[in-house]
Amino acid sequence: MSALPNVLGRPLARRLLLAAASAIAIVAVVAVRTGAGSDVPPADDGTATASPDRIILSPAADTATSQTVTWRTDEATQEGEVQVAPADDPDQVRTVEADASVAERLPNSRLSARHHSATLTDLEPSTAYTYRVGHDDDFSPWTTFTTAPAADSTDPWTFLYFGDAQWGLDAGWSSTVDQAFAQYPDARIALTAGDQVNDGNDDHQWEQWFEAVAPWASTRSFLTVAGNHEHYGDEQTVRYRSHVQYPRNGPEGQDDLTYRVDVGDVRFITLDGSITGGPSDPTDDGLGALQAAWLEQQLADNPRTWTVVTIHQPMFSAAKLRDNLAQRTAFLPLLEQYGVDLVLQGHDHAYARGHLAENDVAGGYSGPTYVVANAGDKYYDLDPAGRNNWTINDAVRDAAADKISTYQAVRVEGDRLVYSSYVATIDDSGVGTGPLPQGLAPGELLDTVTVTKAVDGRPFVPR
């Protein structure tokens, strides 16, 4: 895995994507990356030092035998390494040098930092390892992670799913994360569906996001999605791509924001939903078609039983006056054709779950389950129950709520996925218009479904 993301600009580079493919390879090896012009003045905390911070695990291509770790230091610290050993044999330490150590700078920013990334290989499935990161005399404390189960493992395991953090990073988001991991301390993966921060170039917001996810981000993999707000003030998503590294197995020219990882018997596919010139532009700028071709390859040649797709902009919007036509046009036919089990999304700051109306069958529905969730303190009004973005696009909105933050757990149990959504916070402004939150308190179950497999292999959700 290369830890050097491409620096393709947006939106101009999208129009030039195919023509510039050869140039990308040259640009990608530049050690010091400079961000795009900023509409939002960057806020810098200047806290990067020689001591590693913002340590985060992310899944490598083979999650049963590999693990990627990324951390930050000051720019003067040009090298980094990981020391790792089996947890049950801590004296057997080996050292893995960082794949790359890359400096980060944005225009008009006084903050400079360096991000280091290393992928640990030759690990054993479902095995605990202890590790630390750093260089010379500056190392993090020792901590532990456990590798993913092998593909043929029947042992149950859980992953968490969060919608947008974005607002209230030191309040609502922090509380949501605390509640989720208190209830599911053994969760193997944490999936965040975009808009980790409100302003992608604001380092103070990134500091708050990382403070909220510590120490969990250093002990299990975080699978993140780039949302539209990761581009705010940082068109090239320099800060987002500096903080997290994933296997570069997506479509050429987009493989740092679009990727695939297999965890146990589940295939996770992450798509970049920022495929238009802006929220008022319904036209795919080319990245949708590029990703769709790659997506079909991942779905057609899929050895795993279960498939989870995550994208920031939802196929069917939960909030009023929203419609993601370009994303729905590019991806929905493939999600349906190949029977993706769960499609986990963000963006709308409300909660909704549903399915295509044509998939209704006796006793339930077949085909994908689409979910929109929210994890921070920003709330939008829910689209009305009778006529909304789901119903006008021939879909059924089975559950909905607004003025609410939630966290979700998905239990992988061999022949079924058990999806559960829990209340984290209800907005102080009053009761929301959605049908679900009334009478519920934080920590209580909001919504649940069980996904099984029909005889034809398609997902089936009983009522």
Side-chain angles (χ1 to χ4, degrees), residues 35-56:
S38 172
D39 296 323
V40 183
D44 298 335
D45 58 19
T47 58
T49 68
S51 297
D53 65 4
R54 302 187 188 179
I55 301 169
I56 186 168

Side-chain angles (χ1 to χ4, degrees), residues 25-249:
I26 298 173
V27 177
V29 300
V30 177
V32 178
R33 296 168 296 170
T34 303
S38 172
D39 296 323
V40 183
D44 298 335
D45 58 19
T47 58
T49 68
S51 297
D53 65 4
R54 302 187 188 179
I55 301 169
I56 186 168
L57 298 177
S58 54
D62 182 355
T63 57
T65 62
S66 305
Q67 178 68 68
T68 297
V69 56
T70 303
W71 66 100
R72 186 189 74 151
T73 65
D74 58 10
E75 188 176 358
T77 304
Q78 298 188 21
E79 298 179 0
E81 65 185 41
V82 183
Q83 296 176 355
V84 61
D88 61 1
D89 194 4
D91 292 332
Q92 297 300 313
V93 176
R94 63 185 172 104
T95 297
V96 179
E97 298 294 331
D99 298 329
S101 297
V102 183
E104 166 211 321
R105 285 198 190 99
L106 287 169
N108 306 316
S109 172
R110 64 183 175 82
L111 176 68
S112 62
R114 193 175 297 275
H115 297 262
H116 312 264
S117 178
T119 296
L120 314 177
T121 58
D122 300 321
L123 308 177
E124 295 295 325
S126 298
T127 301
Y129 290 87
T130 185
Y131 78 100
R132 65 177 187 170
V133 301
H135 188 64
D136 291 338
D137 296 328
D138 293 295
F139 274 89
S140 65
W142 289 92
T143 190
T144 301
F145 68 87
T146 300
T147 51
D152 59 356
S153 173
T154 59
D155 294 338
W157 57 279
T158 299
F159 68 89
L160 298 175
Y161 150 51
F162 301 97
D164 299 27
Q166 193 174 344
W167 281 13
L169 295 172
D170 59 349
W173 166 240
S174 180
S175 175
T176 299
V177 171
D178 286 347
Q179 292 179 63
F181 281 104
Q183 186 167 351
Y184 292 96
D186 296 326
R188 292 291 187 91
I189 297 283
L191 185 159
T192 63
D195 283 2
Q196 281 73 211
V197 297
N198 190 62
D199 302 298
N201 71 328
D202 191 324
D203 191 73
H204 180 61
Q205 294 176 27
W206 284 110
E207 180 75 15
Q208 291 179 316
W209 189 88
F210 272 94
E211 286 179 353
V213 300
W216 301 289
S218 63
T219 58
R220 80 281 325 278
S221 286
F222 269 62
L223 193 159
T224 66
V225 179
N228 56 300
H229 279 264
E230 268 69 61
H231 296 276
Y232 279 27
D234 183 8
E235 290 185 0
Q236 296 178 350
T237 59
V238 170
R239 288 206 163 144
Y240 170 77
R241 293 182 293 110
S242 297
H243 282 106
V244 292
Q245 300 295 331
Y246 296 102
R248 303 295 289 268
N249 56 16

